[in-house]
Amino acid sequence: MNSTAAAPHAPTGPGSAARFVATQTLLTLDARHPFVAKSLIDAQDMHRTVMSGFPGWVDDGSPDPRAQMGILSTWTVDLKQACLNLVVQSSVPADWSGVPRAALAERPEILTVDRTFRSGDRVDFRTVVNPMRNLRPAPGSPQKTRGTRVPHTRPEHVKKWFADRLQPAGEPSVSPTGVVRLGADADAERLALRMLPSVSSPTPHKGLRIARAEIKGMLTVTDPRTFVTALTQGVGHARAYSCGLILVR
């Protein structure tokens, strides 16, 4: 479990460096416990489970507390072992005392990450993303009508979605089409990609359905500051619902 979260501290460019600092927790949970089972079948409940580790850091009603605390998460489930493995990254310390003791298969494993990245560094990575695209408004729609956001469902389209966010050396951090890049490059053909089951939530969040895909491979850092920003802020949409965290080692 190795990733990174913090503010960059150095200019970009060849030979530059940027530092990433974050707290990461690995929670190993009993998938049979009702507290955990509810999180597996309700994306909003999973969000509440993640956020339950950070009481008191921001005022009630404060806008976007997840982003303020730099919280990102990702999870996998082992049905044979009945375990949910939840990784939570944040810029502030977590307190997991609110998780029922019986729901914990093991004690939470908390790690402070403090790592400096330089141009040319190569890292193995894993991320679960919510790959979306915008459909243009229908002809004749009123001006300023927003397009419809729909998920990519084919692996080749997801791979292109991710490849559009890669940043070859010497390229800017935002592509000519406005896509925010990762500060790292990769051989897109060597990326391992797996479509995952979508997650959803019942009322009062009817209609919430999040497409997910897992991407693994090797990245070469080309813009350390932008790379640290991607590690800190995540990539893509649905970051409140355990998508977008980039774990590296």
Side-chain angles (χ1 to χ4, degrees), residues 98-142:
V99 176
R101 177 169 291 187
L104 291 167
E106 298 178 13
R107 292 183 61 183
E109 179 184 339
I110 300 175
L111 172 70
T112 297
V113 180
D114 186 347
R115 184 170 176 180
T116 297
F117 292 95
R118 294 175 174 82
S119 296
D121 284 352
R122 303 180 75 190
V123 295
D124 292 317
F125 83 98
R126 174 189 178 271
T127 186
V128 173
V129 297
N130 171 231
M132 304 295 289
R133 62 192 175 100
N134 285 322
L135 295 180
R136 292 181 179 178
S141 298

Side-chain angles (χ1 to χ4, degrees), residues 25-239:
T25 303
L26 172 61
L27 294 169
T28 304
L29 301 165
D30 181 354
R32 295 163 295 195
H33 191 281
F35 178 87
V36 183
K38 183 69 182 301
S39 296
L40 278 173
I41 63 176
D42 186 336
Q44 188 64 27
D45 207 74
M46 180 70 79
H47 171 69
R48 284 192 290 267
T49 296
V50 170
M51 296 300 292
S52 71
F54 303 92
W57 281 102
V58 299
D59 294 334
D60 290 344
S62 182
D64 205 351
R66 183 204 63 78
Q68 288 189 53
M69 294 182 282
I71 297 170
L72 295 167
S73 63
T74 188
W75 55 268
T76 59
V77 62
D78 185 335
L79 295 176
K80 184 179 291 187
Q81 299 297 323
C83 280
L84 170 67
N85 299 303
L86 173 62
V87 179
V88 182
Q89 175 178 290
S90 60
S91 60
V92 296
D95 174 7
W96 301 107
S97 59
V99 176
R101 177 169 291 187
L104 291 167
E106 298 178 13
R107 292 183 61 183
E109 179 184 339
I110 300 175
L111 172 70
T112 297
V113 180
D114 186 347
R115 184 170 176 180
T116 297
F117 292 95
R118 294 175 174 82
S119 296
D121 284 352
R122 303 180 75 190
V123 295
D124 292 317
F125 83 98
R126 174 189 178 271
T127 186
V128 173
V129 297
N130 171 231
M132 304 295 289
R133 62 192 175 100
N134 285 322
L135 295 180
R136 292 181 179 178
S141 298
Q143 283 191 340
K144 298 186 179 179
T145 299
R146 298 181 65 180
T148 303
R149 187 178 293 168
V150 298
H152 288 295
T153 57
R154 297 171 62 107
E156 61 269 28
H157 294 161
V158 175
K159 186 171 284 190
K160 183 181 184 307
W161 177 92
F162 189 78
D164 288 344
R165 284 152 179 78
L166 296 174
Q167 184 177 345
E171 291 289 324
S173 59
V174 178
S175 76
T177 57
V179 173
V180 177
R181 289 168 161 165
L182 298 179
D185 200 8
D187 181 350
E189 295 305 314
R190 301 186 69 177
L191 297 175
L193 189 144
R194 180 167 65 112
M195 303 303 296
L196 300 176
S198 61
V199 295
S200 59
S201 181
T203 53
H205 300 277
K206 264 188 174 178
L208 176 64
R209 191 170 185 83
I210 299 165
R212 302 183 305 142
E214 178 190 65
I215 305 172
K216 294 180 179 180
M218 178 174 287
L219 293 169
T220 300
V221 178
T222 56
D223 181 340
R225 171 181 280 179
T226 299
F227 186 60
V228 165
T229 297
L231 294 178
T232 304
Q233 298 180 0
V235 57
H237 297 285
R239 283 173 263 185

